[in-house]
């Protein structure tokens, strides 16, 4: 367990802290433990912003939740995003949860055992969310399996399930039990279209019904992320799911590097966009706290960012055409799940190496308040960009560049 200073005591197994920052769970914990309270307050203000002029409030959770977190050794944190009081609208507070986790057994185990072990591991975390009254819960990308897409081996396709398959049925019961919307990102087997594979989020309603699906729009071709070997770019557009608790959308992992992807969910009216991900430190960590937060600001909605944790070692080494020697793992998935708000505030992040549940209360009225304040939608000039994009996508597009006729003249 983490000590009272946020650092693991010396002597605990090194493996337990693999992925820590000098023994600390997160940058936030590192700063909190090493700065004076005044300096920490200032650093937090600059790093996390302010919400309604104040630092975000932590909220206390029921004893049942903290007991589950202790018993199953996962990080749990909870915060509240406030809004200004309005005269004509009632508050629209929803409680949203994000779950990050490592895989449960080695990737060499029987596939059925791997899936079962992950489901067993995630179940108490879902229970903890349910006990805490979470209304909308999102799991990590391809949560039922190791992120084996680095390997290019086709046998991992066996983890793919139809939309109404085993993991959906498992979650449907929990959604109903806890009256909770659950977003379940899985590897999908499209049984109606030649059994092809997609990277899909299934949105399960609070009555246990399947509201719909979204398939990952942008497929990475970077580093070890050889996902294009397995599935194509999604064909579901940018759906927004109107749930009992608000309008939500799912921007799956690599889609977070595409501002137009974020924009499209916003144009369709999303109030919360969930970003279930699987990404590693060496590749993307400097981008992680920026992109989602920028999307929340630019599109006046909340974003929930989730990344898996740990290092997943595969049976056979692979290369990825980047000149690096062959290796058998992606590197460290750095967790750090968190929420960003339209007013530019964000929560601290969950642990860089432990499983975790991040909970936030958010009043969705903040979305319109920020639209009214900043007017980004009003000032966006969509027609100008629509015409540029339409021209750009034609084969005869010429970039609008005005060259200095004297560019080659000597001074
Ligand atoms: N899962 C996934 O799309 N990862 C790509 C790497 C990244 O976007 O950081």
């Amino acid at each position: 367990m983490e000590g009272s200073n946020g650092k693991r005591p010396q002597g605990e197994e090194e493996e337990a802290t693999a992925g820590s920052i000098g023994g600390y769970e997160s940058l936030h914990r590192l700063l909190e433990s090493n700065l004076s309270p005044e300096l920490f307050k200032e650093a937090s203000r600059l790093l996390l912003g302010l919400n309604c002029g104040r630092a975000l409030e932590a909220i206390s959770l029921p004893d049942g939740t903290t007991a589950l977190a202790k018993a199953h050794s996962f990080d749990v944190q909870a915060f509240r995003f406030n809004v200004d009081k309005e005269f004509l609208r009632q508050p629209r507070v929803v409680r949203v949860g994000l779950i990050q986790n490592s895989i449960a057994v080695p990737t060499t185990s029987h596939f059925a055992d791997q899936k079962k072990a992950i489901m067993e591991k995630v179940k108490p975390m879902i229970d903890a969310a349910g006990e805490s009254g979470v209304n909308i819960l999102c799991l990590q990308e391809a949560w039922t399996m190791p992120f084996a897409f680095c390997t290019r081996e086709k046998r991992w396709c066996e983890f793919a399930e139809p939309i109404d398959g085993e993991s959906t049925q498992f979650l449907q019961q929990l959604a109903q039990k806890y009256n909770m919307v659950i977003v379940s990102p899985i590897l999908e087997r499209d049984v109606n279209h030649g059994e092809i594979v997609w990277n899909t989020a299934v949105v399960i309603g609070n009555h246990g019904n399947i509201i719909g699906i979204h398939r990952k729009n942008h497929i990475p071709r970077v580093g070890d992320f050889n996902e294009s070997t397995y599935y194509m770019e999604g064909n579901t557009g940018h759906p927004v799911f109107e749930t009992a608790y608000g309008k939500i959308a799912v921007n799956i992992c690599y889609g977070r590097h595409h501002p137009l992807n974020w924009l499209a969910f916003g144009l369709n009216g999303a109030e919360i966009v969930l970003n279930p991900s699987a990404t590693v430190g060496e590749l993307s960590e400097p981008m992680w706290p920026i992109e989602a937060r920028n999307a929340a600001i630019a599109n006046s909605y909340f974003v929930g960012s989730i990344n898996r944790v740990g290092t997943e070692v595969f049976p056979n080494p692979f290369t990825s055409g980047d000149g690096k020697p062959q290796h058998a793992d992606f590197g460290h998935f750095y967790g750090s799940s968190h929420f960003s708000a339209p007013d530019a505030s964000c929560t601290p992040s969950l642990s860089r190496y432990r499983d975790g549940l991040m909970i936030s209360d958010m009043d969705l009225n903040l979305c319109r308040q920020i639209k009214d304040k900043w007017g980004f939608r009003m000032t966006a000039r969509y027609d100008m960009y629509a015409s540029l994009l339409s021209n750009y996508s034609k084969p005869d597009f010429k970039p609008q560049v005005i060259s200095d006729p004297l560019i080659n003249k000597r001074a």
Side-chain angles (χ1 to χ4, degrees), residues 105-380:
V105 292
T107 60
T108 43
S109 312
H110 190 290
F111 283 5
D113 296 338
Q114 291 191 50
K115 198 195 265 193
K116 185 164 174 278
I118 294 174
M119 285 164 105
E120 281 172 6
K121 184 178 219 238
V122 168
K123 165 88 173 31
M125 299 168 81
I126 300 175
D127 286 332
E131 296 285 336
S132 308
V134 163
N135 303 122
I136 301 170
L137 179 69
C138 187
L139 305 180
Q140 67 195 20
E141 183 181 18
W143 71 273
T144 59
M145 60 182 292
F147 211 72
F149 312 121
C150 47
T151 66
R152 298 198 198 91
E153 296 162 357
K154 292 299 177 100
R155 63 203 187 98
W156 302 99
C157 291
E158 275 202 61
F159 278 92
E161 293 178 23
I163 296 300
D164 56 358
E166 185 189 357
S167 63
T168 303
Q169 288 167 27
F170 165 72
L171 294 175
Q172 282 178 298
Q173 287 175 14
L174 292 165
Q176 204 166 17
K177 175 172 177 190
Y178 292 117
N179 195 25
M180 182 160 75
V181 170
I182 304 184
V183 178
S184 171
I186 57 166
L187 191 65
E188 180 204 341
R189 175 79 67 186
D190 186 354
V191 286
N192 292 329
H193 294 94
E195 300 178 301
I196 59 172
V197 170
W198 300 98
N199 183 319
T200 300
V202 184
V203 180
I204 300 167
N206 56 314
H207 298 289
N209 51 314
I210 298 174
I211 302 180
I213 61 164
H214 173 58
R215 293 179 174 142
K216 184 171 179 170
N217 274 335
H218 299 276
I219 309 299
R221 292 157 174 83
V222 58
D224 289 336
F225 288 87
N226 300 318
E227 293 171 54
S228 58
T229 301
Y230 296 88
Y231 35 80
M232 302 296 290
E233 280 71 14
N235 59 358
T236 51
H238 295 89
V240 166
F241 303 94
E242 186 164 22
T243 73
Y245 306 115
K247 291 185 181 166
I248 67 172
V250 196
N251 180 356
I252 304 177
C253 195
Y254 183 79
R256 75 184 184 285
H257 310 300
H258 292 273
L260 292 177
N261 206 35
W262 292 110
L263 171 71
F265 294 117
L267 295 184
N268 280 330
E271 295 167 305
I272 305 167
V273 180
L274 299 151
N275 178 225
S277 301
T279 186
V280 290
E282 197 187 328
L283 182 70
S284 66
E285 202 163 4
M287 301 167 162
W288 181 249
I290 298 171
E291 290 171 306
R293 196 166 172 198
N294 184 54
I297 297 167
N299 298 292
S300 308
Y301 51 50
F302 289 90
V303 176
S305 307
I306 309 166
N307 186 21
R308 56 176 63 207
V309 280
T311 300
E312 301 174 0
V313 181
F314 293 95
N316 304 312
F318 51 85
T319 56
S320 291
D322 53 9
K324 289 192 182 159
Q326 62 173 4
H327 45 288
D329 66 81
F330 252 119
H332 179 72
F333 292 103
Y334 53 84
S336 307
S337 305
H338 63 280
F339 286 102
S340 311
D343 66 355
S345 62
C346 68
T347 65
S349 297
L350 285 179
S351 171
R352 245 184 133 265
Y353 59 89
R354 288 174 71 209
D355 294 351
L357 168 65
M358 171 62 83
I359 293 177
S360 281
D361 284 352
M362 48 191 73
D363 189 330
L364 300 181
N365 283 350
L366 187 61
C367 302
R368 198 179 81 182
Q369 287 186 10
I370 294 298
K371 284 179 186 158
D372 287 347
K373 175 177 174 181
W374 278 96
F376 292 148
R377 285 285 170 81
M378 202 165 55
T379 56

Side-chain angles (χ1 to χ4, degrees), residues 36-82:
S36 67
E38 301 74 49
L39 274 181
F40 176 64
K41 198 172 157 200
E42 275 304 90
S44 298
R45 180 178 67 79
L46 294 171
L47 286 173
L48 304 178
L50 296 178
N51 165 247
C52 295
R54 295 188 301 274
L56 278 189
E57 283 169 57
I59 49 181
S60 59
L61 294 172
D63 291 345
T65 300
T66 38
L68 277 166
K70 199 160 176 226
H72 297 274
S73 192
F74 59 85
D75 185 15
V76 62
Q77 299 187 37
F79 298 90
R80 174 180 298 117
F81 291 100
N82 286 310

Side-chain angles (χ1 to χ4, degrees), residues 12-33:
E12 285 200 9
E13 282 175 40
E14 208 169 278
E15 199 183 309
T17 54
S20 73
I21 314 174
Y24 294 97
E25 295 226 357
S26 63
L27 177 63
H28 189 77
R29 288 280 159 84
L30 182 155
L31 295 175
E32 189 176 29
S33 300

Side-chain angles (χ1 to χ4, degrees), residues 377-388:
R377 285 285 170 81
M378 202 165 55
T379 56
R381 308 292 310 271
Y382 297 117
D383 49 352
M384 189 170 77
Y385 295 103
S387 114
L388 172 66

